[in-house]
Amino acid sequence: MSFDLQTSLERIRHWLPQQGPIKDFIHHNTLHAFQDRPFHEGILEAAQLYGARPYMDLSWYREALGRGAISSESLDRVLSRYFESATERTAMRSYLLDGAAPFIAPFPGIARSGCVADWKQRGVDIEASVHPLLFRLIAGYLDQGIASWRMPHASETFWNAVGKLVEESWAPYGSLSNTHCQALLSEPAERAIMKCLEALVGTPAHYERYLLEMLLSHPGWSGMVASIERKPSGLLIPRQMRLVDFAAVELVMQVGAAIKTLGKDFKPLVPKTRHEAISRQQAASLHYPQLLMHEALEETLYCDVFAGLEAHAECVVSRPLATTQVFFCIDDRECSLRRHIEEVEPTVETFGTAGFFGMDFYFRGLEEIHPTQMCPVVITPRHLVVETSSEPRSSRRMKAPTLIGSRNSLFRGWLATQTLGIWATVRLFLQVFRPGTTALFSEPALPPKTRLMLVRNGEDKDPEGRYLGYSIEELATRVRHVLSSSGLIRGFSKLVVIMGHGSTSANNPHYAAYDCGACSGRRAAPNARAFAWAANDPAVRRQLAAMDFEIPSDCHFIGGLHDTSKDTIEFFDEHDVPKTHAPQLQDFRIKVKEALKRNAKERCRRFELVPMGIPEQTALKHVHDRALSIFEPRPELNHATNALAIVGRRDSTRGLFLDRRCFLNSYNPKQDPNGKILSGILGAVIPVCGGINLEYFFSRVDNTTYGAGTKLPHNVMALVGVANGVGGDLRNGLPSQMIEVHDPVRLLVVVEQTCEIALAAVKMNPSTYEWVKNDWVRYACLCPETKRTYLLLNDAFVPAVECLKSPPKYPTSLSVVEGHRDSLPVAEIEGVGTRP
């Protein structure tokens, strides 16, 4: 039987994790490889392949039933769908509530039960012999700046670099140093793989299975190598990384380990005809009770949301015209701040859109060497925006002295320790015990007046082929698209705020996962500034007028940034605000400070060590200090508890308490009769928000296999990922401190549109529709005509629920959360909601 190495590696690549370098932490569906299957079928197959749990334990679902996260009515409806016989329903219900709940171990996974186990039976511990050195070699090769000494020959391929390192070194390199392995290292990587497979396995029919098992024995490094090969630009210091080279080095090391134990004439494995330890039918049967309880958990949440939306759709509360309009990212953490701002000041109107605000560029800041991508990872930017300044550098804040760069020689290291060591000790003491006092020594602030080189002259490009800025027409197109797709085509207020977001962490290797996902895991400040500058530019406005899109001359845009961990807001380019608008901006600043205090108090109820009922000002100080604390593993809870995405007018959700669980994207169904605008929005909302949701889902269900475990022992490896301690495999997924309070439910996407248009819109893009068709996200619509909700089942919309209960009403958001730490049902804030 012939064996095609490249074809096999392409198939194997499909099953490897897709997490890229940690500086660009992009949320994605952990089980992307199974997305072409129905959800429940896919997660069971994945659990068998990777050795994971597909659901939470039955005892966890029973606890959820006890705290109200699963309602008795929802459980009955689920059982009615799965069992026709009343006797069967009664028996299953009795078991789910009171039956014995045996411990169900995770599936073994092929990497644990395959050829690795066969080698151990022959006395060869392949993993212990190979992995420690392999991981050190690949970390040294990919290193992006941690190491003071660079790995020799790192500019070449990994295969060539390792071969030359072994050849030139006077010290032994473990199993790579025997003469047989050295001879293999002199061959091309592909030929070496074939010789190694022949020696280790012998039978070509089993080669692909062996490679898959080998690479899945360390999915973190294997997936990282595959991701870097797919997108080399993910590294700031480029490397010629190929999966074939990585596999070749590991196979040569395995041959060396076998020779060391069994001798150079060892016989290859004779892989047994493997039968899975448990069939798919048995696996499904084993986890059937959890499946039922999980469906009931989701149904409880969905019914609560549908009830809230329908009741709110009938509500009519008048409010004055907007004096200030604010565009936020659709991020679920902005859900609560928008609600608090609207409670504090009813004349503020808020919108939600993807947080890069349509500005798809690479950005090089004032003190940055490398430009970084400031738009979703699926977009390849064609523009570079550079920040410049005419201000003197003395206008920046003082930066703390550092030992970095002074420790790499005997004398300089000793001198730096004696002179700066005391200061470093004092600073460390402050970071641990008085984190709020270290803000002075945080990253230097930009001078008050910097400029973005946003408009290009001619068609000049940089050496990478990127335009140096935008044309006026390109800027006008982007401004029009963001405003019109959000429903703002008329009725502009005099002040429009473009509010990006980011997050501050003092000691958090996953910091990029806390920033704006729409900006490739970075703070959205450049995008907010760029959009506001473009929307204010007279030439852009003239171009917009030529496109039949008029922005009033007295309307001024200003960029801002919400720090979601410290709950602070800063505004950019305030010196450009007209004097006529300055009082309005000052008034908005005062109102938003009050909203930030309320937002901080709402957030603090989730932190176990924060007393319930603390004053708002105290809560604001707590979240500020928490973000600057060097020993705080939870600077904020990020997207934890996310469960919903609503695409529609703000009036359909304004005044609804959604407990910071909802991504909110503005959309006006009246302006989209054919669904094309909605299709474009769904093309971003479903994969981005669905990816966030499912990464939290699977990291919560099995944090050992799909997640990263606890942050506490994590070490940053090569600036590309984290591992436990000083070695080991890279950890994929999310650490436990990000998912502890998360209830794993699939994202419910609700669009405000008629059933016909909603279905046609999601089908326009086949890749988007795959998420919906296979139930990796659930899809529903709120019909603006009937004011009723409908859920998509089997490619058709059906009335969402059989019985709706109106949500409770409260005077303020803080009165809803008072005394509660768990997730809360939908509620209505009296006097805030509106229907024009």
Side-chain angles (χ1 to χ4, degrees):
M1 177 181 176
S2 62
F3 172 71
D4 188 327
L5 176 60
Q6 292 301 328
T7 301
S8 290
L9 285 177
E10 281 305 310
R11 281 195 291 262
I12 290 169
R13 192 189 307 271
H14 179 71
W15 306 110
L16 298 178
Q18 286 192 348
Q19 185 167 303
I22 201 167
K23 73 176 179 62
D24 300 319
F25 196 101
I26 306 300
H27 291 288
H28 62 286
N29 179 8
T30 308
L31 303 185
H32 64 93
F34 300 86
Q35 204 167 294
D36 60 342
R37 300 155 173 80
F39 176 76
H40 291 295
E41 177 184 322
I43 64 173
L44 279 173
E45 288 188 35
Q48 290 178 286
L49 178 65
Y50 299 123
R53 302 177 189 275
Y55 303 99
M56 302 296 288
D57 291 333
L58 185 57
S59 58
W60 184 89
Y61 290 110
R62 288 174 175 172
E63 183 271 333
L65 182 68
R67 59 182 166 89
I70 298 177
S71 71
S72 180
E73 295 83 2
S74 292
L75 181 57
D76 288 337
R77 283 195 293 268
V78 169
L79 292 174
S80 296
R81 289 200 299 268
Y82 281 86
F83 298 95
E84 294 183 2
S85 166
T87 303
E88 291 178 334
R89 290 198 297 271
T90 302
M92 178 56 74
R93 196 180 203 285
S94 177
Y95 172 76
L96 293 176
L97 298 183
D98 302 310
F103 171 76
I104 302 176
F107 294 109
I110 70 166
R112 301 173 192 165
S113 59
C115 294
V116 170
D118 292 344
W119 279 118
K120 286 185 178 180
Q121 291 177 6
R122 296 180 62 178
V124 182
D125 193 338
I126 287 285
E127 292 185 353
S129 302
V130 171
H131 287 183
L133 178 58
L134 176 68
F135 296 162
R136 294 182 70 179
L137 286 172
I138 189 62
Y141 177 77
L142 293 177
D143 180 66
Q144 297 292 290
I146 286 184
S148 300
W149 294 351
R150 297 285 183 260
M151 179 175 173
H153 311 293
S155 60
E156 302 185 36
T157 66
F158 182 56
W159 174 254
N160 290 341
V162 171
K164 290 182 178 181
L165 192 66
V166 173
E167 180 184 359
E168 296 172 359
S169 177
W170 56 267
Y173 265 84
S175 57
L176 288 174
S177 296
N178 72 57
T179 55
H180 186 69
C181 290
Q182 288 180 345
L184 287 170
L185 288 172
S186 66
E187 301 269 12
E190 291 82 358
R191 189 180 304 168
I193 286 178
M194 297 305 295
K195 289 185 176 182
C196 290
L197 289 173
E198 182 179 0
L200 294 166
V201 185
T203 307
H206 298 289
Y207 285 180
E208 184 173 323
R209 170 82 180 213
Y210 189 88
L211 283 171
L212 176 62
E213 291 179 7
M214 179 185 78
L215 292 172
L216 283 182
S217 68
H218 43 70
W221 279 116
S222 299
M224 183 62 65
V225 167
S227 294
I228 291 172
E229 181 180 7
R230 182 174 57 252
K231 188 179 180 182
S233 61
L235 296 180
L236 295 178
I237 303 175
R239 293 287 183 263
Q240 301 180 51
M241 193 69 251
R242 302 190 306 163
L243 186 61
V244 67
D245 294 335
F246 182 65
V249 171
E250 182 168 10
L251 286 169
V252 171
M253 296 176 75
Q254 289 193 0
V255 168
I259 290 175
K260 182 177 180 181
T261 303
L262 304 175
K264 64 180 182 179
D265 296 324
F266 73 92
K267 296 194 183 317
L269 291 176
V270 182
K272 309 174 183 67
T273 301
R274 298 193 179 279
H275 298 283
E276 299 298 336
I278 183 170
S279 68
R280 291 182 183 178
Q281 292 77 10
Q282 289 174 312
S285 176
L286 183 65
H287 291 278
Y288 200 55
Q290 289 97 312
L291 183 153
L292 296 172
M293 292 290 270
H294 185 84
E295 289 279 338
L297 174 72
E298 293 182 336
E299 175 134 337
T300 301
L301 171 66
Y302 299 163
C303 288
D304 183 52
V305 173
F306 293 141
L309 289 173
E310 290 200 11
H312 191 66
E314 302 292 347
C315 171
V316 179
V317 178
S318 62
R319 60 180 171 88
L321 293 175
T323 57
T324 302
Q325 291 161 329
V326 191
F327 278 78
F328 285 93
C329 180
I330 64 174
D331 192 288
D332 51 308
R333 291 168 292 177
E334 304 290 41
C335 173
S336 58
L337 181 59
R338 292 175 64 179
R339 173 168 28 86
H340 285 294
I341 288 176
E342 291 161 350
E343 287 183 44
V344 172
E345 181 49 74
T347 63
V348 171
E349 183 178 17
T350 66
F351 297 84
T353 188
F356 73 113
F357 304 111
M359 308 302 292
D360 50 342
F361 54 75
Y362 280 97
F363 176 71
R364 189 173 71 233
L366 197 63
E367 295 185 338
E368 295 174 349
I369 298 174
H370 301 281
T372 53
Q373 183 168 333
M374 299 299 301
C375 59
V377 68
V378 295
I379 298 175
T380 301
R382 299 188 301 114
H383 304 83
L384 172 66
V385 174
V386 178
E387 184 177 43
T388 62
S389 174
S390 59
E391 293 285 320
R393 299 175 68 88
S394 60
S395 63
R396 308 167 198 270
R397 287 199 296 253
M398 179 176 65
K399 191 175 181 180
T402 176
L403 298 177
I404 302 297
S406 303
R407 61 189 180 192
N408 298 326
S409 68
L410 179 63
F411 176 73
R412 284 188 299 169
W414 175 83
L415 182 63
T417 301
Q418 301 305 312
T419 56
L420 299 179
I422 295 177
W423 168 253
T425 302
V426 171
R427 187 181 181 212
L428 178 62
F429 178 88
L430 291 175
Q431 284 180 311
V432 172
F433 295 103
R434 297 291 299 276
T437 62
T438 62
L440 175 64
F441 308 113
S442 59
E443 287 300 312
L446 293 175
K449 294 184 180 180
T450 63
R451 178 176 174 80
L452 301 182
M453 306 301 291
L454 198 59
V455 177
R456 70 171 183 262
N457 294 317
E459 300 299 309
D460 292 341
K461 297 182 180 181
D462 72 347
E464 302 298 324
R466 298 174 292 223
Y467 290 107
L468 301 177
Y470 293 88
S471 69
I472 293 297
E473 185 177 358
E474 288 171 335
L475 289 174
T477 300
R478 283 159 173 77
V479 170
R480 179 185 180 183
H481 172 74
V482 170
L483 296 179
S484 60
S485 65
S486 301
L488 183 59
I489 59 176
R490 62 181 63 88
F492 288 85
S493 62
K494 294 183 63 175
L495 183 67
V496 180
V497 181
I498 309 299
M499 190 67 70
H501 70 95
S503 181
T504 296
S505 301
N507 182 18
N508 179 19
H510 291 85
Y511 74 92
Y514 290 72
D515 280 335
C516 182
C519 297
S520 290
R522 295 176 178 86
R523 299 167 78 89
N527 303 73
R529 291 186 70 195
F531 186 94
W533 190 93
N536 288 328
D537 185 75
V540 173
R541 291 202 178 183
R542 287 193 295 270
Q543 182 65 41
L544 285 169
M547 297 176 175
D548 197 26
F549 190 91
E550 196 85 29
I551 296 178
S553 59
D554 64 346
C555 174
H556 184 81
F557 289 73
I558 183 171
L561 185 78
H562 172 214
D563 191 310
T564 57
S565 59
K566 293 192 298 183
D567 258 330
T568 58
I569 280 181
E570 60 179 312
F571 296 95
F572 307 119
D573 303 318
E574 291 189 65
H575 55 278
D576 290 334
V577 177
K579 291 183 179 180
T580 54
H581 291 63
Q584 187 173 346
L585 176 61
Q586 181 60 25
D587 181 66
F588 177 71
R589 189 196 302 273
I590 294 171
K591 299 295 174 55
V592 83
K593 283 184 178 179
E594 174 63 26
L596 287 168
K597 290 191 293 184
R598 298 187 184 191
N599 195 56
K601 181 170 181 177
E602 180 176 333
R603 289 174 54 207
C604 280
R605 76 183 182 91
R606 290 286 191 176
F607 300 131
E608 289 291 340
L609 298 182
V610 179
M612 297 293 290
I614 62 172
E616 295 166 19
Q617 187 63 43
T618 305
L620 188 62
K621 182 179 186 306
H622 174 81
V623 297
H624 180 273
D625 292 352
R626 185 183 198 93
L628 299 176
S629 174
I630 195 173
F631 67 89
E632 179 54 70
R634 302 171 186 84
E636 63 166 307
L637 296 177
N638 206 8
H639 301 292
T641 73
N642 77 86
L644 310 167
I646 298 177
V647 180
R649 291 170 292 186
R650 179 54 173 163
D651 289 328
S652 64
T653 55
R654 184 180 174 114
L656 275 185
F657 176 85
L658 299 171
D659 204 12
R660 292 171 55 88
R661 307 188 75 178
C662 188
F663 302 94
L664 293 169
N665 200 113
S666 296
Y667 165 74
N668 191 335
K670 294 181 179 179
Q671 299 169 6
D672 187 31
N674 55 19
K676 289 185 177 180
I677 295 176
L678 178 59
S679 178
I681 292 174
L682 293 176
V685 167
I686 287 181
V688 172
C689 300
I692 293 172
N693 171 264
L694 290 176
E695 186 154 36
Y696 273 82
F697 184 111
F698 295 118
S699 293
R700 180 66 177 93
V701 165
D702 192 331
N703 198 241
T704 300
T705 303
Y706 295 140
T710 176
K711 284 181 180 179
L712 302 184
H714 284 175
N715 259 1
V716 177
M717 309 296 290
L719 286 181
V720 298
V722 297
N724 287 342
V726 296
D729 192 22
L730 294 185
R731 301 304 304 265
N732 292 298
L734 307 174
S736 60
Q737 288 82 2
M738 291 172 69
I739 50 85
E740 294 161 320
V741 302
H742 186 70
D743 285 348
V745 295
R746 283 171 288 176
L747 187 76
L748 174 66
V749 180
V750 184
V751 300
E752 187 183 6
Q753 190 50 276
T754 63
C755 296
E756 295 78 12
I757 296 176
L759 185 57
V762 78
K763 285 186 173 183
M764 289 181 188
N765 187 333
S767 62
T768 303
Y769 183 55
E770 182 183 70
W771 288 77
V772 172
K773 178 182 67 175
N774 292 326
D775 290 332
W776 292 82
V777 301
R778 306 304 302 275
Y779 190 55
C781 71
L782 171 63
C783 181
E785 299 171 356
T786 65
K787 308 289 193 299
R788 295 293 174 262
T789 52
Y790 302 86
L791 181 67
L792 189 69
L793 291 175
N794 300 321
D795 208 32
F797 280 106
V798 299
V801 289
E802 301 169 6
C803 178
L804 294 176
K805 297 178 180 178
S806 296
K809 295 185 178 182
Y810 294 86
T812 66
S813 294
L814 293 183
S815 61
V816 182
V817 302
E818 186 175 356
H820 298 282
R821 292 201 186 273
D822 291 331
S823 296
L824 294 170
V826 174
E828 192 155 10
I829 310 303
E830 295 175 325
V832 179
T834 178
R835 276 278 163 193

